[in-house]
């Protein structure tokens, strides 16, 4: 590919991020690395933006930790280089002489070769299946984070088998000084020994920490030998998320698994895989909106119901590149009741809530002298559903109250349907859906004890419970309730359209339009919930403001909900 260069004469912004250092690399200070940003140049075609990297203007040295995000080029550089001017360019790839188009592994080599992290031998061969020595591994990692060429005057010489004349001496000494690598013993580094998969994982995790980068949290899933990871490497596997090296074992086609083989020698392909993956997935940069609202400096601690977790995902995705790698990104919500408790107790700053707080939550808030503030940000609604082949098409609000409070009916024919038994399901009292029942139907009463015998304890359970409720002899159909947009978003996971249907309430079917215009009688909102005393300049209140902007309402749509403003 033709090289395209663009020189940007002045840096437009310098952003300093705090380091994510842990005890493993406690030598790293918050200013170890900084982020610099320049506009994406007009003379590089948009189609090449994914290949565009940064480099130092004075030496033309590529910066591997760089990427284009929202019309800007970002780079994570050592603090010593924060004042060096950078420029954008599309680096050329190395055409390895042993390239094999049938081997997808060459993609990682191609990407890393563009910035010099991985190089061929003197014959131009990649040798992707060759084992990597510990010395080679350290050199690759140091090139990756861009400190290989930083001159040091006090390099450590801790190892008897690493000489100042060895080609790998600067890389080993620099990395040891920075807490990125350790020796086999206090005096032995074993530079010629093959590095193991878990050793390179630790090196990469420590390098990311040193550079102030992190990966999205993700537990190792479906790996048959994860218990074989050495204790000293377990934290590193957790830190790099889903980017660990593994093999695919489909010996049993019905139960394929991943095999980590942590003590296996790492090949050049393995090292390229982990480095290119973390490069793509672990660079975290703020969007223009994040900067405008101050979220690049501080994000609110967010919680909420199960149904509103897509809001948190959408917000982080809109505010940051690789938003799931942000240190405050929650891997789940605590559910409605528990999240309200956490807000009242001051454990979180705000909630995304699809339901009004239940009566016991309001009592708890009053007891603790806390006033809650609910700010509408999206449309939603409570819905009722039944099995798809049930001839019934709707219920009235009065009939729903009679079903759930009075246990008044046991046959669908009593509410305008056909002759079939009715199997109503309810939710547990500390669920958001129960709070909706309190708001619309219970009027201070409890759900009837007979109905409570069929309680679904999660939002997904009520879907599957009603799906499985249909009986043929005698004929009978289930009845359940949930939240409109959660119900519709679950088609990715459950065969909802093939098995369930929504019921009209008081003659009005729930649709995007009837919920937005309020004609559907169980329409309501999704909210940002704050403590009323939250200061005006607090991140949580800024988030409430952001959610009502055009960018915030796009997050609402991306979360699968109805936007409040058009």
């Amino acid at each position: 590919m033709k090289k395209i260069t663009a020189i940007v004469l002045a840096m437009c912004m310098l952003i300093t991020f705090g380091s994510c250092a842990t005890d493993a690399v406690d030598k790293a200070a918050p200013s170890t690395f900084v982020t610099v940003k320049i506009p994406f140049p007009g003379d590089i075609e948009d189609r090449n933006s994914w290949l565009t990297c940064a480099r130092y203007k004075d030496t033309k040295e590529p910066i591997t930790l760089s990427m284009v995000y929202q019309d800007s080029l970002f780079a994570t550089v050592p603090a010593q280089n924060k004042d060096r001017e950078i420029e954008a360019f599309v680096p050329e790839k190395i055409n390895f002489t042993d390239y094999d188009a049938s081997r997808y592994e060459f993609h990682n080599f191609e990407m890393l070769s563009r910035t010099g992290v991985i190089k061929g031998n003197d014959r131009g061969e990649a040798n992707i299946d060759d084992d990597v020595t510990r010395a080679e591994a350290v050199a690759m990692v140091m090139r990756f984070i861009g400190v290989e060429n930083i001159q040091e005057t006090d390099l450590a010489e801790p190892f008897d088998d690493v000489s100042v004349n060895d080609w790998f001496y600067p890389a080993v000494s620099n990395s040891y000084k920075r807490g990125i690598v350790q020796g086999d013993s206090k005096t032995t580094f074993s530079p010629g020994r093959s590095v193991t998969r878990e050793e390179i994982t630790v090196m990469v995790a420590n390098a990311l920490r040193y550079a102030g980068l992190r990966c999205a949290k993700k537990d190792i899933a479906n790996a048959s030998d994860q218990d074989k990871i050495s204790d000293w490497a377990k934290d590193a596997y957790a830190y790099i998320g889903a980017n660990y090296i593994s093999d695919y074992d489909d010996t049993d086609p019905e139960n394929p698994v991943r095999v980590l083989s942590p003590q296996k020698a790492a090949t050049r392909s393995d090292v390229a895989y982990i480095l290119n993956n973390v490069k793509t997935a672990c660079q975290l940069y703020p969007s223009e909106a994040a900067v405008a609202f101050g979220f690049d400096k501080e994000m609110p601690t967010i919680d909420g119901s199960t149904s509103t977790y897509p809001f948190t995902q959408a917000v982080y995705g809109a505010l940051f590149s690789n938003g799931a790698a942000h240190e405050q990104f929650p891997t789940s919500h605590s559910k409605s009741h528990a999240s309200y408790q956490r807000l009242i107790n001051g454990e979180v700053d705000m909630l995304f809530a699809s339901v009004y707080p239940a009566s016991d939550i309001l009592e708890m808030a009053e007891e603790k002298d806390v006033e809650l503030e609910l700010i509408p940000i999206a449309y939603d609604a409570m819905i009722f559903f039944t099995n798809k082949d049930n001839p019934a098409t709707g219920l009235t609000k009065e009939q729903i109250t009679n079903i759930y409070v009075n246990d008044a009916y046991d046959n669908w024919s009593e509410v305008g349907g056909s002759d079939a038994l009715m199997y109503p399901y309810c939710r547990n009292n500390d669920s958001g859906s129960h709070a909706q029942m309190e708001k619309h139907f219970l009027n201070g009463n409890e759900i009837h004890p007979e109905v409570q015998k069929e309680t679904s304890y999660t939002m997904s359970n009520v879907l599957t419970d009603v799906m499985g409720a249909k009986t043929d002899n005698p004929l009978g159909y289930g009845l359940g309730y949930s939240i409109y947009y959660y119900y519709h978003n679950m088609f990715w996971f459950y065969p909802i359209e093939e098995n369930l249907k929504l019921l009209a309430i008081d003659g009005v079917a729930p649709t995007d339009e009837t919920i937005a215009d309020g004609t559907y009688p169980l329409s309501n909102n999704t909210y940002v919930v704050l403590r009323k005393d939250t200061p005006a300049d607090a991140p949580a209140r800024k988030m409430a403001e952001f959610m009502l902007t055009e960018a915030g309402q796009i997050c609402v749509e991306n979360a699968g909900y109805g936007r409040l403003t058009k």
Side-chain angles (χ1 to χ4, degrees):
M1 177 179 294
K2 181 180 179 181
K3 184 185 297 184
I4 307 172
T5 61
I7 298 176
V8 181
L9 297 179
M11 292 184 187
C12 297
M13 185 178 297
L14 173 66
I15 311 167
T16 303
F17 283 99
S19 170
C20 300
T22 66
D23 290 341
V25 283
D26 58 5
K27 299 174 185 177
S31 59
T32 300
F33 276 67
V34 298
T35 296
V36 292
K37 170 187 173 185
I38 62 175
F40 182 70
D43 57 348
I44 293 182
E45 297 180 31
D46 287 343
R47 64 188 179 91
N48 286 325
S49 62
W50 71 285
L51 292 171
T52 302
C53 294
R55 66 182 178 187
Y56 298 110
K57 181 182 175 183
D58 52 0
T59 62
K60 309 302 182 187
E61 176 190 351
I63 303 170
T64 300
L65 293 178
S66 60
M67 65 180 289
V68 173
Y69 174 59
Q70 287 198 345
D71 297 324
S72 294
L73 176 65
F74 290 84
T76 297
V77 302
Q80 298 98 310
N81 295 332
K82 66 183 178 66
D83 295 323
R84 292 175 66 184
E85 192 171 344
I86 66 170
E87 62 184 16
F89 80 118
V90 178
E92 294 179 340
K93 66 178 180 179
I94 293 177
N95 293 311
F96 295 106
T97 56
D98 58 347
Y99 175 77
D100 182 350
S102 68
R103 298 288 300 274
Y104 68 90
E105 296 94 334
F106 271 97
H107 169 74
N108 297 320
F109 275 75
E110 175 186 332
M111 298 305 296
L112 294 172
S113 72
R114 290 175 180 270
T115 55
V117 174
I118 288 182
K119 305 173 182 179
N121 61 19
D122 55 4
R123 295 183 297 277
E125 298 168 330
N127 293 324
I128 67 175
D129 296 319
D130 285 2
D131 291 349
V132 177
T133 67
R134 281 170 53 82
E136 291 169 334
V138 171
M140 291 180 191
V141 170
M142 297 300 275
R143 290 180 208 136
F144 178 76
I145 61 173
V147 296
E148 182 189 33
N149 295 326
I150 290 181
Q151 299 299 315
E152 299 285 357
T153 58
D154 58 343
L155 289 181
E157 297 184 36
F159 304 117
D160 294 340
D161 55 355
V162 177
S163 166
V164 69
N165 296 318
D166 291 326
W167 68 266
F168 49 80
Y169 170 76
V172 173
S173 297
N174 268 322
S175 59
Y176 178 78
K177 178 181 178 181
R178 289 168 168 80
I180 294 172
V181 299
Q182 295 181 346
D184 277 349
S185 71
K186 291 183 178 181
T187 59
T188 304
F189 183 72
S190 305
R193 175 173 66 75
S194 295
V195 71
T196 66
R197 287 179 167 188
E198 63 182 2
E199 285 177 328
I200 189 61
T201 301
V202 170
M203 289 182 192
V204 171
N206 285 346
L208 291 174
R209 289 189 180 107
Y210 185 76
L213 300 177
R214 61 183 302 123
C215 302
K217 301 171 186 174
K218 186 175 179 64
D219 293 333
I220 296 173
N222 199 29
S224 62
D225 60 346
Q226 62 190 79
D227 60 326
K228 299 294 194 300
I229 301 172
S230 299
D231 289 341
W232 50 265
K234 288 179 180 177
D235 179 63
Y237 274 88
Y239 196 84
I240 66 168
N243 303 300
Y244 50 81
I245 306 162
S246 66
D247 300 313
Y248 185 67
D249 182 0
D250 59 354
T251 304
D252 180 358
E254 295 185 1
N255 297 288
V257 295
R258 288 286 176 183
V259 181
L260 302 176
S261 303
Q263 285 82 41
K264 181 180 177 181
T267 64
R268 286 169 61 80
S269 175
D270 290 336
V271 176
Y273 175 86
I274 191 172
L275 288 177
N276 194 49
N277 270 18
V278 298
K279 174 188 182 298
T280 302
C282 304
Q283 292 188 73
L284 180 74
Y285 302 120
S287 67
E288 293 293 340
V291 174
F293 283 86
F295 298 136
D296 58 322
K297 301 295 189 294
E298 184 179 4
M299 279 287 285
T301 304
I302 300 173
D303 204 350
S305 62
T306 301
S307 66
T308 61
Y309 186 60
F311 278 94
T312 296
Q313 293 173 306
V315 162
Y316 272 92
L319 294 176
F320 302 96
S321 66
N322 296 314
H326 196 286
E327 61 183 349
Q328 286 183 254
F329 178 76
T331 55
S332 65
H333 279 180
S334 299
K335 299 185 179 180
S336 297
H337 198 271
S339 64
Y340 269 111
Q341 289 179 319
R342 294 187 72 203
L343 179 63
I344 292 169
N345 290 331
E347 298 172 42
V348 298
D349 300 322
M350 56 160 285
L351 310 179
F352 285 121
S354 60
V355 295
Y356 200 78
S359 56
D360 62 326
I361 288 294
L362 293 175
E363 292 173 4
M364 177 183 178
E366 186 175 1
E367 289 172 2
K368 299 200 173 186
D369 198 27
V370 172
E371 188 174 355
L372 298 175
E373 181 178 355
L374 282 75
I375 302 169
I377 60 167
Y379 289 118
D380 207 348
M382 185 182 191
I383 47 91
F384 286 79
F385 52 90
T386 185
N387 301 96
K388 189 170 185 178
D389 49 2
N390 184 354
T393 59
L395 295 168
T396 67
K397 291 180 68 175
E398 181 180 4
Q399 288 170 340
I400 293 171
T401 298
N402 282 330
I403 290 169
Y404 282 95
V405 175
N406 304 319
D407 190 31
Y409 316 119
D410 57 17
N411 196 290
W412 282 93
S413 63
E414 298 174 83
V415 292
S418 62
D419 182 14
L421 295 177
M422 177 185 291
Y423 309 125
Y425 285 80
C426 68
R427 290 296 316 283
N428 42 304
N429 284 3
D430 60 352
S431 68
S433 297
H434 182 78
Q436 292 279 32
M437 287 293 289
E438 287 187 326
K439 177 182 178 181
H440 292 291
F441 299 106
L442 299 187
N443 300 315
N445 298 304
E446 295 290 332
I447 290 179
H448 195 280
E450 285 299 313
V451 178
Q452 288 190 45
K453 291 179 180 179
E454 299 296 342
T455 298
S456 302
Y457 285 92
T458 68
M459 295 188 77
S460 59
N461 281 162
V462 72
L463 300 176
T464 55
D465 287 345
V466 174
M467 285 183 200
K470 178 179 178 287
T471 57
D472 294 320
N473 189 19
L475 185 63
Y477 304 107
L479 173 67
Y481 51 87
S482 188
I483 308 299
Y484 177 80
Y485 284 104
Y486 175 82
Y487 173 94
H488 277 295
N489 290 336
M490 286 299 100
F491 80 92
W492 292 104
F493 308 100
Y494 302 101
I496 290 174
E497 294 183 357
E498 295 86 349
N499 292 280
L500 300 175
K501 69 176 182 180
L502 296 179
L503 294 169
I505 305 299
D506 287 345
V508 181
T511 66
D512 292 343
E513 292 72 28
T514 60
I515 291 171
D517 65 22
T519 55
Y520 178 67
L522 304 184
S523 298
N524 51 262
N525 296 112
T526 295
Y527 310 93
V528 166
V529 186
L530 313 171
R531 293 166 64 112
K532 187 112 179 162
D533 58 1
T534 302
D537 60 349
R541 198 166 289 282
K542 291 290 185 183
M543 182 60 70
E545 295 175 14
F546 168 74
M547 292 306 298
L548 294 175
T549 66
E550 176 62 20
Q553 289 294 289
I554 290 174
C555 289
V556 167
E557 287 185 318
N558 290 340
Y561 282 71
R563 58 185 293 159
L564 202 62
T565 61
K566 297 298 183 183

